[in-house]
């Protein structure tokens, strides 16, 4: 069985598309699992939670998200004769919720294919392939989602630069709240790009400020300074609002988390729905969790940053 976890962006989403640093961590509470079964004929077939039946890879009912990673990987491994394999896919990552469902699916599928045909694939190659798939789906992704999902480690990421692993000084509790609505990332990324082209000086300044917050956050994570991290989350959320990627429900949930004693709260990922994160002390965790649910969060998933 091959698997890939989801991801959370802690700081710097959107500005990262425009060259600034961002910080992301694996989110192990959700994952995609793929099992492969070698058969004697029938080519490549896929069974997923959506299809529930075994469909050949050429079947149009299968989404591109399932087909493309396999096709790219076959090309990469220079496999001309289509192997006979059935892939069973099970995902607990909600789609378009900011947890990197697409990148995790591609990662798990390519890992599973490589295993099935007896090939090794290193992180760097896998990351390049998954990034190719991301580009087809998202237009201009920074590459942070595929990087954190493939490497499964907290990362400090700048588009086009080698990955930098980061150290988290002490375990910290984070509550992740999912919203009942989501907006595809390519839409919010496209809207931010339009804002930027209409007002490069002002919006470019906001990107730079977010980049500075990310630098401070990296240091605060290293030192395990939860109070500073909370303040940096507040500042980052404020700038995301200016970039128009927060929305009423995200703002309400952030306010509710703070009122219930969270140290900081912000949206995470593409925004306009999706998910938000709140940094909590053990004493306030239950209160914040209840406040998030009372204010419309669909689900609250506690996780530990470490
Ligand atoms: C999406 O998880 C993060 C964004 O910054 C887009 C990207 O980096 O490609 C919104």
């Amino acid at each position: 069985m091959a698997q890939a976890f989801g991801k959370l962006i802690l700081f710097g989403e959107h500005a990262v598309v425009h060259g600034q640093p961002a910080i992301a961590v694996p989110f192990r509470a959700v994952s995609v699992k793929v099992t492969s079964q070698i058969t004697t004929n029938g080519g490549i077939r896929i069974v997923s939670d959506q299809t529930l039946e075994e469909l050949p890879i050429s079947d149009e009912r299968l989404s591109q998200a399932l087909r493309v990673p396999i096709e790219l990987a076959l090309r990469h491994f220079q496999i001309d004769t289509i192997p006979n394999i059935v892939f069973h896919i099970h995902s607990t990552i909600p789609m378009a919720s900011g947890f990197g469902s697409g990148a995790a699916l591609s990662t798990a599928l390519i890992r599973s294919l490589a295993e099935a045909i007896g090939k090794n694939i290193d992180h760097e190659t896998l990351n390049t392939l998954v990034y190719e798939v991301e580009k087809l789906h998202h237009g201009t992704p920074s590459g942070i989602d595929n990087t954190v999902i493939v490497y499964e480690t907290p990362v400090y990421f700048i588009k086009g630069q080698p990955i930098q692993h980061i150290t988290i000084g002490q375990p910290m509790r984070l509550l992740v709240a999912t919203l009942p609505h989501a907006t595809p990332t390519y839409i919010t990324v496209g809207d931010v790009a339009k804002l930027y082209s209409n007002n490069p000086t002002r919006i470019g300044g906001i990107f730079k400020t977010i980049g500075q917050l990310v630098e401070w956050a990296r240091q605060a994570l290293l030192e395990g300074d939860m109070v500073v991290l909370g303040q940096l989350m507040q500042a980052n959320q404020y700038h995301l609002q200016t970039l128009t990627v927060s929305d009423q429900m995200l703002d309400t949930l952030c306010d509710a988390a703070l009122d219930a004693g969270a140290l900081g709260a912000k949206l995470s990922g593409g925004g306009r729905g999706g998910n938000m994160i709140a940094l909590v002390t053990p004493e306030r965790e239950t209160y914040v969790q209840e406040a998030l649910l009372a204010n419309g969060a669909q689900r609250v998933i506690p996780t530990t940053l470490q």
Side-chain angles (χ1 to χ4, degrees):
M1 189 196 63
Q3 78 170 353
F5 299 112
K7 67 96 211 325
L8 293 171
I9 306 235
L10 298 186
F11 291 94
E13 51 275 269
H14 286 289
V16 68
V17 176
H18 301 272
Q20 294 298 325
I23 293 173
V25 292
F27 183 37
R28 294 175 201 274
V30 292
S31 65
V32 179
K33 293 189 169 87
V34 178
T35 50
S36 61
Q37 193 185 340
I38 308 277
T39 57
T40 46
N41 55 23
I44 295 180
R45 281 147 296 145
I46 295 178
V47 190
S48 77
D49 300 336
Q50 273 90 42
T51 62
L52 294 175
E53 60 177 308
E54 211 176 280
L55 297 173
I57 191 168
S58 55
D59 195 295
E60 291 195 344
R61 282 170 290 173
L62 288 176
S63 69
Q64 292 279 87
L66 291 168
R67 213 178 303 156
V68 175
I70 296 180
E71 287 168 355
L72 270 179
L74 286 174
R75 215 171 304 145
H76 166 77
F77 291 123
Q78 300 181 321
I79 305 287
D80 299 327
T81 318
I82 299 295
N84 299 310
I85 309 172
V86 183
F87 292 105
H88 292 258
I89 299 166
H90 175 62
S91 176
T92 58
I93 312 187
M95 270 154 73
S97 285
F99 298 141
S101 60
L105 177 61
S106 303
T107 302
L109 265 174
I110 298 173
R111 279 186 180 144
S112 181
L113 173 72
E115 245 170 57
I117 60 176
K119 301 271 186 192
N120 279 327
I121 184 158
D122 59 36
H123 284 337
E124 200 180 336
T125 313
L126 178 58
N127 198 23
T128 308
L129 288 176
V130 178
Y131 187 45
E132 286 307 307
V133 185
E134 289 286 285
K135 281 195 271 190
L136 291 176
H137 298 315
H138 298 311
T140 55
S142 63
I144 191 169
D145 288 12
N146 45 281
T147 302
V148 67
I149 285 170
V150 167
Y151 285 86
E152 291 178 7
T153 173
V155 296
Y156 168 95
F157 177 89
I158 299 177
K159 190 174 173 175
Q161 291 193 13
I163 166 183
Q164 295 183 45
H165 303 275
I166 56 169
T167 308
I168 296 177
Q170 69 167 32
M172 290 177 237
R173 286 296 269 181
L174 204 62
L175 294 178
V176 182
T178 60
L179 277 72
H181 67 282
T183 304
T185 307
Y186 75 89
I187 293 183
T188 52
V189 167
D191 288 352
V192 172
K194 264 181 243 156
L195 272 187
Y196 181 41
S197 74
N198 290 340
N199 198 338
T201 312
R202 176 162 173 266
I203 303 299
I206 293 175
F207 292 155
K208 281 205 188 107
T209 308
I210 293 176
Q212 182 60 63
L213 296 176
V214 172
E215 296 298 344
W216 290 328
R218 180 189 201 175
Q219 190 59 28
L221 280 167
L222 183 69
E223 289 166 6
D225 192 334
M226 291 180 68
V227 173
V228 168
L229 273 177
Q231 288 165 351
L232 293 170
M233 286 168 80
Q234 291 313 109
N236 197 163
Q237 171 64 11
Y238 170 79
H239 293 297
L240 288 164
Q241 285 168 337
T242 313
L243 295 178
T244 75
V245 293
S246 193
D247 64 13
Q248 205 179 344
M249 189 162 189
L250 282 165
D251 292 344
T252 303
L253 289 173
C254 290
D255 290 345
L258 294 173
D259 289 348
L263 295 169
K266 64 181 277 295
L267 71 86
S268 169
R272 296 200 196 135
N275 78 83
M276 56 77 67
I277 52 177
L279 186 67
V280 289
T281 55
E283 299 76 45
R284 301 310 299 177
E285 182 169 334
T286 311
Y287 296 102
V288 176
Q289 184 156 12
E290 280 165 7
L292 290 170
L293 289 169
N295 280 277
Q298 211 174 30
R299 228 175 123 193
V300 179
I301 310 167
T303 186
T304 303
L305 293 179
Q306 52 197 358

